Amino acid sequence: METLNERLWHQTTAEDAVRLLESNADRGLDRFEIEARQQHYGANSLPARSGPGPLIRFLMQFHQPLLYILLTAAVITALLDEWVDASVIFGVVLVNAIIGYLQESKAAKALEALAKTTLTEARVVRSGETQSIASTELVPGDVVLLQSGEKVPADLRLLRSRDLQIDESALTGESVPVQKKAIDLASETPLAERRNMAYASTLVTYGQGRGVVVATAGKTEVGRISELISLADVLETPLTRKIAKFSRVLLVVILVLAAVTFAVGVWRGQAKFEMFMAAVALAVGAIPEGLPAAVTITLAIGVSRMARRRAIIRKLPAVETLGSTTVVCSDKTGTLTVNQMTVLEIWAAGQRLTTSGSGYEPNGKIEVRGDDQTEALALTDVSASHAVRHCLQAGLMCNDSQLVLTESKWAVQGDPTEGALIAVAGKAGLDGKQLETQLPRLDSIPFESQHQYMATLHSNKSDDSRHLYVKGAVEVLLSKCQSAMTPSGENCPLDVAMVQRQVEAMAAEGLRVLAFAGKSLPAETSDISHADVGDLVFYGLQGMIDPPRDEAVAAIKACQTAGIRVKMITGDHAKTAQAIAEQLGLDGMQKSSEEAPIVKTAQDLAESSDQQLIDIADQVAVFARATPELKLRLVRALQAKGHIVAMTGDGVNDAPALKQADIGVAMGIAGTEVAKEAADMVLTDDNFASIKAAVEEGRGVFDNLTKFIVWTLPTNMGEGLVILAAIFVGVALPILPVQILWINMTTAVLLGLMLAFEPKEADIMTRVPRDPQAPILTGELIGRIILVALVMLIGAFGSFEWAIGQGYSEIVARTISVNVFVMVEVFYLFNCRSLTKSMFELGVFTNRWIGFGAAAMLILQIAFTYVPIMNHIFHSAPIGWDAWWRILLTGLATYMIVGLEKWVRRKLRSRTPTGA
Ligand code: ATP
């Protein structure tokens, strides 16, 4: 069998391919054959990318400027016979690398696990039955069905095709979709021109096809070229790049500063070794090397938090952008509404009928509504009105979905709109199974949102005539109808105005209205194309309800409070869209009827220039009968107005709009693979409320990130300043390099990390969206960082000099300085729990991790100060109460100073009327 995989399948005829693979073009593989083949070929998934092994990844951790400096320092210290210091530095380098390695693996694993949750399904014919299976279960010989929107699950030799077009950019880089056809080809055909093949990982953008699997997993074309996507690519975002760049610039500045310090010290006659250690201390202390890693980790935590709230992030930068979103453009059906359709009204040949019953249960009553009375309609009456019967029959026959009874509840398999049509036909007593044998389907044109209709061709067993059924959007169908059916089944002129009045009445109640039509075709017709759908007989209308999701109403309100505008972009009728938008409470929809809320349709906007569209897109909240092109134009217009746009989509044609949007959001359940592939984020529940949740998390992530940066930078700056001050004043160093390493390592883990557990602040969704161009640190925050760094300088330097003045040894004085640094960091951590509010407003106990971290840190400091081995390693010594209360007071003073600064700023802000 192995040689099969090496075959040039495009040169093989379809019949030969099926024969060689021991399959059957119509029935597929036999069920009992599958297991043996699965064992032989293995799962159809791409082999795990063979990235660098754990050892290389671990060694890569040492490839950082800070670690170069540390390693150099360690080697020189060792050469100078300072073995304890050298071992501490080596130890720190090692611990740093281990932490980095573990964190990176965790982040990468989280992302990998998420990638798996979006595995694709494949439709396959086995033992003559069509079924949906995970694409990993496919084996060579399987007969697979393709349809627009799907991802090709394995390499296929096409057996049949209908207008098939495939986007092969994943394989060939060519972005224009390729026409595919089940033809025979000459031998030398390059990959890009093998029109009779469909390759794994490429996307079906149009039409349908059927093919036999010739290669799976690593044997597919994509499996062969599958290259390593490096972790760096996956974990990089504009923010991490910005921070990495900032760190690199800072590194150079600090190295220069360190060299100058060394030179100045030596020139002033200080010992070279001491000056070398001072320069190392400066470099080690002042470079915020942990920052890029902290940012990546915080973003990765954001990704998993969002996943818990049903928003799967496909591209990491989306986590950042979400917090800045100013407009969310959402589909209606299924996202803002529950997507559970029930037909409530039928209108055919002047007769208006209402239905009872709920959900998809095909039992209930159909009643005729007269002007002044309502009378129950017996089945015989339904069959008496030919128009009503044809209207219901068209809904039942021109249909690809099924109703199934699971645990005494009726559910739809397929499209809910179609499910509702089957249920109502059942209420009228139409038997789908019986009709199928009487009118078997010969061909169909599937529903595509750009055509807005579906058509099926049937042969009538009784007289071998052909019949075409069509269902779709009212305007589209009316334009294709020449006449209407009377109650007795005759044809009469079509009164378009009357139909439209009915549609408006139904749509104004929020009903989704579909029109039904059909015609007879010549007996020899065996297939249909769009050209056959014309000259139709109009049968009637069916209006179905699809109530808004309760949680969408709440989420829209939350978005509005958060300064985010919500727009509905739907394929539905303008009136239906308007009614639903009113129920949802969209912007501008609560106005009185005189100032009729503005709903624009794609047709209204067809004539508008891109320039005009900029203002319309900004002002109008509802866009109806939207086409994928309109979606794309709207995203561009909103972006031109300066908005950060999140746009939802599910269809193949939505891909360009999803790519263009700042956050493309695809539907996990109803969405096509093409849409998911183009999106930045996938909703696992298709629910609008999950977009709001993701925005909320996005804001939270950014908040915590800023808090971490504001907390960590003063330490680097403070340590740098203390060293510089000591050299320039010409006194002994108040802290040594090993002590700086101790401070930076322990506080980052025990204190800084705890900020990541800070719950989202209560007002997070009442703030205006963050300007993505704005720097992370505002002037205000930079001011605070400098303020705290100065407190550290004065506190540490001051207490060092005080201790020396008291006659304490340098060792004791340094121990006091180190404790001052740590204590200031502990107290300041409580300030950093919020950038604007005090800890008491947040709730003192809302983040217990902070308390645990601070307590653990204090215990470590006691060990640092009193445990002999620690004294030996870190050049520390026991200190007395006179020092401790000074240390505590410095910490407390920091908390008070920063608290006061926040308070003053709050007061100033509340005085400025804009509250900016
Ligand atoms: P959304 O609000 O998510 O854009 P929508 O369902 O209203 O979704 P489309 O799916 O593009 O938008 O449908 C547009 C119109 O096409 C519907 O209003 C309906 O008239 C018609 N339609 C929808 N589904 C079908 C179907 N399965 N067969 C035929 N016509 C359909």
Side-chain angles (χ1 to χ4, degrees), residues 331-333 415 418 447 449 452 454 471-473 512-514 569-572 625:
D331 281 347
K332 171 177 71 70
T333 310
D415 179 359
E418 296 190 340
F447 173 77
S449 56
Q452 301 208 326
M454 168 178 176
K471 74 174 199 299
R512 174 184 178 82
V513 188
L514 262 75
I569 303 187
T570 174
D572 222 328
R625 289 297 188 222

Side-chain angles (χ1 to χ4, degrees), residues 152-218:
V152 180
D155 284 3
L156 310 176
R157 166 65 166 90
L158 292 172
L159 305 175
R160 256 170 257 169
S161 63
R162 181 197 183 90
D163 304 333
L164 190 62
Q165 288 182 21
I166 294 186
D167 170 356
E168 295 193 327
S169 53
L171 204 59
T172 59
E174 172 57 56
S175 60
V176 180
V178 192
Q179 307 262 359
K180 295 279 178 177
K181 238 183 163 97
I183 46 169
D184 294 337
L185 283 175
S187 48
E188 287 106 34
T189 319
L191 187 71
E193 286 163 29
R194 295 181 188 165
R195 290 178 53 207
N196 58 8
M197 298 288 294
Y199 292 105
S201 289
T202 60
L203 297 163
V204 184
T205 56
Y206 199 84
Q208 294 152 297
R210 176 190 274 254
V212 60
V213 175
V214 297
T216 56

Side-chain angles (χ1 to χ4, degrees), residues 41 89 93 114 120 162 209 233 254 291 334 415 431 466 521 544 593 597 606 619 689 724 734 751 781 804 816:
Y41 292 102
I89 302 178
V93 170
L114 290 180
T120 51
R162 181 197 183 90
D233 286 345
I254 290 165
L291 203 53
D415 179 359
D431 183 343
R466 300 285 186 266
L521 281 170
M544 53 188 82
S593 54
Q619 285 152 13
L724 282 180
L751 303 179
L781 295 178
I804 297 287
I816 297 172

Side-chain angles (χ1 to χ4, degrees), residues 341-417:
M341 309 271 180
T342 314
V343 173
L344 289 190
E345 289 190 24
I346 301 159
W347 185 87
Q351 203 174 29
R352 193 160 164 219
L353 307 122
T354 55
T355 70
S356 68
S358 66
Y360 295 107
E361 187 173 347
N363 301 312
K365 276 198 300 213
I366 297 188
E367 293 172 332
V368 182
R369 281 228 326 231
D371 282 340
D372 43 13
Q373 67 194 69
T374 301
E375 58 183 88
L377 187 82
L379 267 183
T380 47
D381 294 331
V382 174
S383 35
S385 169
H386 275 78
V388 173
R389 190 189 168 87
H390 269 80
C391 178
L392 291 169
Q393 194 160 310
L396 184 61
M397 303 307 290
C398 183
N399 197 313
D400 279 334
S401 306
Q402 286 125 37
L403 294 184
V404 285
L405 186 63
T406 40
E407 291 164 8
S408 72
K409 209 170 167 257
W410 286 92
V412 56
Q413 260 183 0
D415 179 359
T417 302

Side-chain angles (χ1 to χ4, degrees), residues 395-728:
L396 184 61
M397 303 307 290
C398 183
N399 197 313
D400 279 334
S401 306
Q402 286 125 37
L403 294 184
V404 285
L405 186 63
T406 40
E407 291 164 8
S408 72
K409 209 170 167 257
W410 286 92
V412 56
Q413 260 183 0
D415 179 359
T417 302
E418 296 190 340
L421 299 175
I422 304 175
V424 75
K427 288 174 194 174
L430 294 181
D431 183 343
K433 284 261 174 312
Q434 192 195 336
L435 277 171
E436 257 167 49
T437 40
Q438 207 180 317
L439 294 166
R441 190 194 282 192
L442 298 178
D443 197 12
S444 68
I445 300 174
F447 173 77
E448 303 244 10
S449 56
Q450 83 241 49
H451 296 123
Q452 301 208 326
Y453 68 80
M454 168 178 176
T456 50
L457 175 71
H458 302 263
S459 84
N460 192 335
K461 281 270 157 144
S462 54
D463 57 5
D464 206 31
S465 61
R466 300 285 186 266
H467 200 87
L468 180 74
Y469 281 122
V470 186
K471 74 174 199 299
V474 184
E475 301 92 309
V476 177
L477 251 66
L478 281 181
S479 70
K480 295 182 185 297
C481 286
Q482 284 296 329
S483 56
M485 184 174 269
T486 65
S488 56
E490 312 290 310
N491 281 4
C492 67
L494 173 66
D495 184 348
V496 174
M498 181 156 82
V499 177
Q500 271 163 348
R501 274 200 304 280
Q502 289 304 322
V503 173
E504 299 254 322
M506 285 183 181
E509 296 167 41
L511 297 185
R512 174 184 178 82
V513 188
L514 262 75
F516 300 83
K519 69 171 177 185
S520 298
L521 281 170
E524 64 278 6
T525 318
S526 60
D527 53 21
I528 45 170
S529 69
H530 287 290
D532 297 309
V533 185
D535 207 3
L536 303 173
V537 182
F538 177 78
Y539 298 148
L541 306 169
Q542 298 194 38
M544 53 188 82
I545 188 173
D546 177 22
R549 287 178 185 262
D550 289 339
E551 61 274 34
V553 178
I556 287 176
K557 213 174 187 146
C559 285
Q560 286 161 347
T561 321
I564 301 166
R565 311 252 288 277
V566 180
K567 298 186 186 285
M568 181 202 278
I569 303 187
T570 174
D572 222 328
H573 191 276
K575 276 268 161 52
T576 311
Q578 176 172 337
I580 300 286
E582 277 165 16
Q583 291 169 27
L584 286 164
L586 278 196
D587 285 322
M589 284 294 148
Q590 307 88 332
K591 288 181 195 154
S592 66
S593 54
E594 300 95 70
E595 304 171 56
I598 350 164
V599 176
K600 293 280 184 196
T601 63
Q603 212 182 1
D604 296 339
L605 299 173
E607 301 292 306
S608 321
S609 68
D610 287 347
Q611 198 54 38
Q612 290 165 323
L613 198 64
I614 294 179
D615 286 326
I616 300 174
D618 190 42
Q619 285 152 13
V620 177
V622 179
F623 297 89
R625 289 297 188 222
T627 53
E629 298 77 52
L630 179 67
K631 279 188 171 185
L632 181 61
R633 288 185 70 205
L634 284 174
V635 176
R636 289 202 175 124
L638 287 165
Q639 286 172 330
K641 193 85 188 169
H643 284 295
I644 303 290
V645 188
M647 164 73 85
T648 69
D650 45 18
V652 185
N653 303 307
D654 288 338
L658 292 180
K659 278 192 192 144
Q660 175 71 32
D662 300 278
I663 308 276
V665 185
M667 300 299 140
I669 306 169
T672 55
E673 285 307 315
V674 177
K676 288 183 205 168
E677 209 77 1
D680 301 282
M681 179 167 104
V682 177
L683 303 181
T684 58
D685 60 353
D686 293 9
N687 189 342
F688 180 83
S690 304
I691 305 179
K692 177 232 141 200
V695 169
E696 196 175 326
E697 292 298 340
R699 289 185 172 199
V701 164
F702 216 91
D703 227 24
N704 283 354
L705 214 63
T706 317
K707 289 172 191 175
F708 179 80
I709 297 173
V710 171
W711 172 80
T712 196
L713 287 186
T715 311
N716 299 107
M717 200 185 255
E719 287 163 347
L721 285 177
V722 167
I723 308 288
L724 282 180
I727 306 291
F728 283 91

